Amino acid sequence: MKDEIPGIGIIGGSGLYEMEEVCDATEYKIDTPFGSPSDTLVGGKLSGRQVYFLPRHGRGHRILPHEINHRANIYALRSLNVRWIISVGAVGSLQENYAPRDVVLPSQFYDRTSHPAAHTFFGEGIAAHIAFAEPISTKLRNLLAESARSVGATVHNGGTYVNMDGPAFSTRAESELNRRNDFDVIGMTNLPEAKLGREAEIALAVVAMITDYDCWKVEEEAVSAQTVLRHLMANAETARKILVDVIPRIPIEPNWPEHFALNAALVTDRKLWPAATVEKLKPILGRFLGD
């Protein structure tokens, strides 16, 4: 099932559930040791490259943020030899100069989630501690910035994404605290993907599409599902244009720092790795296992 040439994964968020631009589309139903991904993956060619598209919330938006099986999603993509992921998602703006329908390419995260055990592949006899000071692939983020500018999007290259649990939106007190901490955007999904992507030695960057001002901007309507939905279609169209432009810019050879993230992360001596855990993590640990 796995392609010899590394592929590019696209995780679509609210409003981006499929991509008609993918040619020769084939569906992949993948079961993982961590359960089922959000939906079947669609593989095909986009701008001449092998891509795999996965709707984060499932087709028809059936899965709440805290219900997403991030480990299964990233594992499934890695098992298909995906070495780059572009993660597209809706976010709220925490700053005056980030307006709805703008694109933010975060460079940092702040974790306000409460499910850390679900944000790692490791354990069960194999300990690993990835370096996460720079949680986003800088090279991929900069390629996305170039593409966003080339398609006419208003783009902010860099910034801090605070990841909350959801599914409720912020209280005004929470929103004001996030602003005082100088965070830029708030969302419910992208940090787990970044952590797991790094453990899977995948270069990942986030295309954060602003839909609202959270609830801090009192002269604006407080965020609601209806507010968000009004901007989703426009944001999805912008995301499609960026993806079509950036895909051919991504290298063929996976030789960025993120592709070797486990070199300095694995702590447990190889001789002590439990066979069952090794088997479970084969797509991730393959290069350490030899023939």
Side-chain angles (χ1 to χ4, degrees):
M1 185 183 291
K2 184 168 70 173
D3 289 314
E4 290 184 12
I5 298 175
I8 300 165
I10 300 167
I11 301 178
S14 302
L16 188 62
Y17 306 115
E18 58 187 358
M19 286 196 66
E20 296 176 356
E21 294 86 351
V22 175
C23 301
D24 302 322
T26 302
E27 291 201 356
Y28 295 84
K29 189 178 188 306
I30 298 178
D31 294 317
T32 83
F34 299 95
S36 298
S38 294
D39 212 318
T40 55
L41 288 81
V42 176
K45 298 292 184 180
L46 179 62
S47 299
R49 295 289 298 278
Q50 181 65 40
V51 301
Y52 297 93
F53 182 83
L54 176 63
R56 179 186 296 112
H57 298 280
R59 290 173 180 83
H61 204 119
R62 299 171 285 105
I63 303 170
L64 285 169
H66 69 280
E67 296 176 319
I68 296 169
N69 190 338
H70 293 289
R71 285 188 292 191
N73 287 349
I74 301 300
Y75 188 102
L77 289 164
R78 186 66 179 86
S79 71
L80 291 168
N81 201 22
V82 163
R83 303 308 304 275
W84 294 267
I85 289 177
I86 300 169
S87 177
V88 182
V91 297
S93 168
L94 296 169
Q95 301 299 331
E96 187 78 44
N97 60 324
Y98 292 0
R101 305 194 185 187
D102 283 5
V103 177
V104 179
L105 305 173
S107 51
Q108 283 294 327
F109 283 102
Y110 191 87
D111 189 355
R112 285 205 165 132
T113 65
S114 54
H115 307 284
H119 301 166
T120 180
F121 292 114
F122 290 96
E124 298 181 5
I126 304 180
H129 301 277
I130 55 163
F132 208 54
E134 301 297 333
I136 291 291
S137 169
T138 301
K139 291 183 178 181
L140 185 54
R141 175 169 57 84
N142 288 335
L143 288 177
L144 285 163
E146 292 172 12
S147 290
R149 293 188 194 103
S150 73
V151 302
T154 300
V155 60
H156 309 271
N157 188 8
T160 299
Y161 176 126
V162 55
N163 203 133
M164 64 184 289
D165 277 332
F169 294 118
S170 304
T171 67
R172 187 160 283 121
E174 291 167 339
S175 194
E176 290 292 354
L177 178 62
N178 287 328
R179 277 173 50 74
R180 286 198 297 273
N181 283 332
D182 206 29
F183 300 145
D184 295 292
V185 295
I186 185 165
M188 302 178 185
T189 57
N190 293 132
L191 172 67
E193 295 170 348
K195 283 188 173 179
L196 291 160
R198 184 62 55 86
E199 286 190 350
E201 298 191 317
I202 296 170
L204 179 146
V206 172
V207 179
M209 315 292 291
I210 293 178
T211 57
D212 57 84
Y213 283 107
D214 205 30
C215 63
W216 62 269
K217 197 172 172 67
V218 293
E219 63 270 28
E220 295 277 334
E221 178 187 1
V223 61
S224 66
Q226 287 74 27
T227 309
V228 169
L229 289 169
R230 282 201 294 267
H231 296 296
L232 283 178
M233 292 307 295
N235 283 353
E237 182 59 30
T238 300
R240 287 187 178 93
K241 291 178 181 177
I242 293 171
L243 291 167
V244 168
D245 188 86
V246 78
I247 293 296
R249 300 174 186 254
I250 296 172
I252 297 289
E253 187 67 28
N255 56 11
W256 290 354
E258 297 82 15
H259 297 125
F260 305 96
L262 292 179
N263 281 358
L266 291 162
V267 177
T268 310
D269 188 287
R270 172 69 182 86
K271 296 189 293 292
L272 301 176
W273 289 3
T277 307
V278 170
E279 182 64 28
K280 182 178 182 179
L281 298 182
K282 255 187 178 176
I284 294 166
L285 294 174
R287 71 184 182 90
F288 297 95
L289 303 178
D291 296 330

